Amino acid sequence: MAGNPFLVDRSGAGRATVLLAHGAGAAMDTPFMTAIAAGLAERGLRVARFEFAYMAARRSGGPKRPPPKAEKLQAEFLAAVDRLACDGPLIIGGKSMGGRVASLIADELFSAGRICGLVCLGYPFHPPGKPERLRTGHLEALNTPTLICQGTRDPFGTQEEVQGYALSAAVRLHWLEDGNHDLQPRKTVTGFGQEHNLDTACAAVSGWVKGLE
């Protein structure tokens, strides 16, 4: 992570900071990530976004390779936590894969007093079409206060599926009506678009973070 590896919204001493990583196939400055960062910043939170090395390499003409396995990205997320200047409470998380990687390191950081929470935006509970391949083992014993904002029809874990999982009591779920993996609803079904669900998610995250401070 050469130079300044972070995109920061709403700097300010003592503010709670939310450190977010991107999903598997899209960078930290996608419309989704930008809207989430702006929505959280509007509510008084400091938001820092960063990219894993494989995604950053694409900006300099590198090959469009698939991401490494989530377990192999843990060291990069920990390095981002180490590098981020933060003088207030810190919450880590991200979109899809980024949130999953954060969830794998959360308890280590929480037990050390380095973070106070975890936020996942569209958690990939299982690969689409493969509900038997669950990625929930570590979530069953998680100690870190966690908020997962999930679309009710997310192919990586629908509301009906997730309600049957044995998740830790530390995990709170906030459901976005008719949302897919990008939290986008069908306007013909709900009467509203993605911006409504993203704003609702930001309001949920902001209120939840205030409860942690």
Side-chain angles (χ1 to χ4, degrees):
M1 294 187 290
N4 182 4
F6 301 107
L7 283 178
V8 178
D9 291 74
R10 187 134 189 170
S11 292
R15 292 186 187 279
T17 296
V18 182
L19 175 61
L20 296 175
H22 54 83
M28 65 179 172
D29 55 358
T30 60
F32 179 100
M33 294 291 287
T34 299
I36 289 292
L40 295 178
E42 286 171 7
R43 291 168 171 83
L45 296 170
R46 176 175 176 252
V47 184
R49 291 172 274 166
F50 78 98
E51 286 179 346
F52 296 112
Y54 81 91
M55 183 62 69
R58 295 183 185 181
R59 294 185 185 274
S60 56
K64 194 173 181 180
R65 293 174 178 154
K69 289 187 176 181
E71 291 77 8
K72 294 187 177 180
L73 294 172
Q74 293 178 53
E76 285 191 54
F77 209 126
L78 288 168
V81 172
D82 287 341
R83 189 163 184 175
L84 179 65
C86 183
D87 61 2
L90 176 62
I91 298 93
I92 62 171
K95 183 184 190 300
S96 190
M97 183 197 74
R100 183 182 174 210
V101 176
S103 73
L104 291 168
I105 62 172
D107 271 0
E108 172 187 347
L109 295 170
F110 181 67
S111 64
R114 301 185 64 191
I115 66 170
C116 62
L118 165 70
V119 170
C120 300
L121 303 164
Y123 186 84
F125 287 98
H126 60 72
K130 298 178 180 178
E132 73 284 356
R133 290 179 53 188
L134 289 178
R135 300 160 173 159
T136 58
H138 66 296
L139 299 181
E140 295 176 8
L142 200 67
N143 291 315
T144 307
T146 300
L147 178 65
I148 298 176
C149 293
Q150 192 86 354
T152 59
R153 62 183 180 95
D154 190 333
F156 289 79
T158 66
Q159 185 173 18
E160 184 179 3
E161 290 171 334
V162 176
Q163 285 177 337
Y165 299 159
L167 302 180
S168 162
V171 177
R172 175 179 163 189
L173 285 149
H174 183 85
W175 292 102
L176 285 307
E177 184 181 352
D178 199 56
N180 62 11
H181 198 50
D182 291 325
L183 308 184
Q184 182 160 359
R186 294 164 293 187
K187 199 162 189 177
T188 54
V189 173
T190 64
F192 51 79
Q194 185 186 34
E195 67 283 352
H196 174 275
N197 273 357
L198 295 185
D199 189 63
T200 301
C202 288
V205 173
S206 174
W208 175 79
V209 169
K210 285 173 182 168
L212 297 177
E213 296 181 77

